[in-house]
């Protein structure tokens, strides 16, 4: 009889333990889901990782003539070294625009239509630095007036 009682108590304790650990597991899983949701959301909305030694919203753009036969290919073979600039509305952007060509005749421009209307025209060997505020959200193509349609990049202004 004493043995039976002990077995019964043991069984009850065992069942209770299983129920409690299941409940704990369910709570843990749901908590984990919540944490993942929060982390996932923050990663999507806010996570930005820079690189050592660079200032936020400061960009270096070089012009480059690719080693290719322009006549044969049929389009200009010059490019911008940086073809995508992603910023947020209200950011003050600084661009260092550099034309490292040996020949002064190898001109390139950094040009944007309205609302960011600008046109910086550099001879080979010249460089310039300019700043502006990203006050309009959207995607804006910057281009070189001498090397369309191929010498382009995109300024992307997020909300
Ligand atoms: Cu160009």
């Amino acid at each position: 009889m004493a043995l039976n009682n002990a077995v019964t108590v043991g069984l009850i304790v065992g069942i209770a333990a299983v129920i409690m650990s299941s409940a704990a597991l369910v709570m843990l899983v749901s908590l984990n889901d919540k944490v993942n949701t929060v982390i996932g959301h923050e990663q999507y909305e806010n996570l930005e990782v820079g690189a050592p030694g660079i200032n936020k919203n400061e960009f270096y753009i070089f012009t480059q003539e690719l080693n290719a036969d322009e006549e044969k290919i049929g389009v200009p073979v010059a490019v911008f070294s940086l073809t995508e600039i992603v910023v947020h509305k209200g950011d003050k952007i600084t661009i260092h625009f550099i034309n490292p060509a040996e020949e002064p005749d190898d001109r390139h421009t950094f040009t944007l239509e309205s609302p960011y209307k600008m046109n910086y025209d550099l001879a080979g060997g010249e460089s310039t630095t300019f700043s502006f505020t990203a006050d309009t959200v959207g995607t804006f193509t910057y281009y070189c007036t001498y090397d369309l349609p191929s010498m382009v990049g995109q300024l992307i202004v997020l909300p």
Side-chain angles (χ1 to χ4, degrees):
M1 200 62 178
L3 186 67
N4 275 352
N5 277 349
V7 169
T8 306
V9 168
L11 213 60
I12 288 168
V13 168
I15 289 167
V18 168
I19 290 169
M20 281 169 69
S21 62
S22 303
L25 193 67
V26 168
M27 279 171 65
L28 205 65
V29 166
S30 98
L31 185 68
N32 198 35
D33 278 352
K34 275 181 191 142
V35 169
N36 280 343
T37 304
V38 169
I39 290 171
H41 189 67
E42 281 177 356
Q43 275 174 342
Y44 184 75
E45 293 282 348
N46 299 320
L47 188 65
E48 284 186 36
V49 180
I54 66 163
N55 295 324
K56 194 170 160 59
N57 300 324
E58 185 174 2
F59 303 94
Y60 289 78
I61 304 179
F62 296 86
T63 62
Q64 186 185 13
E65 301 278 348
L66 300 178
N67 186 18
D69 187 339
E70 217 165 72
E71 304 267 311
K72 191 174 162 190
I73 291 170
V75 291
V77 293
V79 293
F80 292 111
S81 59
L82 186 66
T83 56
E84 193 173 77
I85 298 173
V86 182
V87 296
H88 289 91
K89 187 181 180 184
D91 286 348
K92 189 190 173 200
I93 299 155
T94 298
I95 292 177
H96 303 278
F97 181 43
I98 300 149
N99 180 348
E102 299 278 330
E103 293 294 320
D105 284 353
D106 290 339
R107 303 192 73 91
H108 295 285
T109 75
F110 181 94
T111 307
L112 274 166
E113 298 293 323
S114 287
Y116 291 106
K117 201 164 179 55
M118 64 185 74
N119 182 49
Y120 294 93
D121 188 338
L122 301 183
E126 288 184 336
S127 64
T128 188
T129 295
F130 53 92
S131 297
F132 60 97
T133 301
D135 44 18
T136 304
V137 170
T139 300
F140 309 91
T141 297
Y142 53 87
Y143 61 93
C144 170
T145 57
Y146 302 111
D147 296 303
L148 283 173
S150 49
M151 190 170 178
V152 296
Q154 286 191 322
L155 167 67
I156 298 167
V157 182
L158 302 173

